[in-house]
Amino acid sequence: MSVQTSSLRYSLGTRRDNHGTASRYRAMPSGPYDSATSSSSTTTTAPAAVPRPTLKKNRFPDLTGMDFQHPLDKQNTNMLKSLPGLQFIAKSMIMSAGAEEILYLENISTSIQVGPNQLSTVYSLLVDACETLGMDCPDLYVRQNPVPNAYTLALSGKRPFIVLHTSLLDLLDDAELQAVIAHELGHLKCDHAVWLTAANVLALGTVSLLPIFTATVEDQVMRWLRAAELSCDRAALLVTQNPKVVVSSFMKLAGGSSRLANELNVDAFLEQSRSYEKATSSPMGWYLRNAQNRALSHPLPVLRAREIDAWSHSGEFRSLIKSSVIV
């Protein structure tokens, strides 16, 4: 039994090696996150703020996951449901006896549980995000880790919880941190837990124990995982209601620095994403782009930035905003 039965991570993603297991994706020898932390003892500059919405906020009390689920998420979810036996295996793992107790003890003993009297600023971000999405609050923990990351653990019929690494709190401002929390809530809102279990089976290197996980099935699961992240990015936008906040979080995870945060430029990063799209528009570029993404558990940061920027101008997003309640 794995204690990571449905770990839903907010990160740049992982890359599978030649044996089918997952390894942390490294864009550079030092890793994609290393520039997000500073080893210098020099006083750091506070993260640069991007334009924020007004105090009044749109709430979505009747929102369902289907209301904002990305088309590729829907398409790939239906594809996974059609694979014989896969859903049964994933659900069986989520309902494993004792898993809840192991996960609870692991977090209560090694992390700080956030609440009204503990990291109250972070707790208020969680409560506000849950109220915006119209959902109950999961538990939230903060764990000491120099790698900026967040993940959600969910068990069938049990109370889910989110874990934030301390480096996220240092790297992001409050609005960006709420975008990360909302992204994790998106996994819960879209009921991703079952299929994340299948993805974790691959990540934990247990593929050889389950003959159902052929190379084709493995590719389909990873394709779904990348699509699911796009849905969760939409949840982040629904909560922050400012696409630049969400894009800024992608930018900082890709190569942000607390010390030089005031020099980061969201518009320049969006222009970079457009340059990538143009560079991969040729037949060869399209092939290389697919090859580059195929090994990842998350879409590339520049692609996520383009997706969320485009959706923020879509009729679908405007329709959701019109149907919301302003508080």
Side-chain angles (χ1 to χ4, degrees):
M1 177 186 67
S2 164
V3 297
Q4 295 184 349
T5 48
S6 41
S7 171
L8 322 179
R9 298 182 178 273
Y10 186 97
S11 66
L12 293 186
T14 56
R15 179 178 62 195
R16 289 170 291 151
D17 59 27
N18 293 332
H19 302 289
T21 57
S23 56
R24 178 61 53 190
Y25 175 63
R26 299 285 178 178
M28 298 178 292
S30 60
Y33 302 115
D34 293 344
S35 63
T37 57
S38 173
S39 59
S40 171
S41 59
T42 304
T43 302
T44 58
T45 303
V50 297
R52 303 301 184 222
T54 59
L55 293 177
K56 289 187 176 182
K57 197 166 189 179
N58 299 80
R59 307 284 188 183
F60 307 91
D62 301 318
L63 186 73
T64 68
M66 291 292 291
D67 292 332
F68 63 88
Q69 194 173 14
H70 195 281
L72 290 177
D73 186 0
K74 296 177 183 179
Q75 175 185 328
N76 285 283
T77 297
N78 290 332
M79 186 182 301
L80 290 183
K81 287 180 178 179
S82 69
L83 297 176
L86 183 60
Q87 189 168 9
F88 173 78
I89 291 174
K91 285 185 175 180
S92 297
M93 291 185 66
I94 289 179
M95 298 175 68
S96 297
E100 181 190 30
E101 287 73 19
I102 293 173
L103 293 169
Y104 174 75
L105 291 175
E106 169 69 14
N107 280 278
I108 202 74
S109 62
T110 63
S111 309
I112 295 177
Q113 184 171 7
V114 175
N117 301 313
Q118 185 71 275
L119 295 174
S120 57
T121 298
V122 180
Y123 180 71
S124 67
L125 296 177
L126 170 68
V127 172
D128 179 70
C130 290
E131 290 178 351
T132 300
L133 294 175
M135 59 188 294
D136 295 333
C137 283
D139 289 335
L140 177 62
Y141 294 87
V142 172
R143 171 171 290 184
Q144 191 69 238
N145 197 306
V147 178
N149 198 12
Y151 56 92
T152 300
L153 290 160
L155 295 170
S156 181
K158 309 298 182 182
R159 185 180 181 90
F161 59 85
I162 295 171
V163 177
L164 302 175
H165 288 179
T166 50
S167 45
L168 273 179
L169 277 60
D170 298 328
L171 177 64
L172 307 178
D173 67 21
D174 286 352
E176 294 158 352
L177 183 61
Q178 187 177 54
V180 173
I181 293 172
H183 174 100
E184 298 303 322
L185 293 174
H187 281 300
L188 300 174
K189 195 72 174 178
C190 292
D191 197 22
H192 284 159
V194 170
W195 303 115
L196 259 297
T197 298
N200 280 327
V201 168
L202 300 177
L204 293 170
T206 54
V207 179
S208 60
L209 302 179
L210 298 170
I212 190 174
F213 283 108
T214 63
T216 300
V217 172
E218 183 178 352
D219 285 341
Q220 289 176 337
V221 170
M222 299 306 291
R223 189 182 302 116
W224 169 83
L225 182 56
R226 291 189 294 271
E229 298 301 327
L230 298 177
S231 294
C232 297
D233 290 343
R234 291 181 171 191
L237 178 58
L238 289 173
V239 169
T240 64
Q241 293 161 28
N242 185 340
K244 286 194 173 183
V245 171
V246 184
V247 173
S248 182
S249 70
F250 301 152
M251 177 179 63
K252 289 185 177 180
L253 287 171
S257 166
S258 297
R259 187 171 65 87
L260 299 175
N262 61 330
E263 297 184 15
L264 291 171
N265 187 317
V266 172
D267 292 326
F269 188 68
L270 283 170
E271 183 59 35
Q272 178 183 331
S273 72
R274 287 188 281 271
S275 297
Y276 179 82
E277 185 174 8
K278 182 178 179 180
T280 57
S281 61
S282 66
M284 177 58 72
W286 179 87
Y287 173 81
L288 293 175
R289 172 175 167 170
N290 283 346
Q292 187 178 22
N293 279 276
R294 188 174 182 180
L296 298 176
S297 62
H298 287 58
L300 294 167
V302 290
L303 296 181
R304 295 172 72 179
R306 284 288 285 154
E307 278 283 338
I308 208 64
D309 183 58
W311 195 61
S312 71
H313 295 94
S314 70
E316 184 180 9
F317 178 70
R318 288 195 296 268
S319 177
L320 285 172
I321 293 295
K322 287 181 180 179
S323 66
S324 64
V325 177
I326 299 178
V327 178

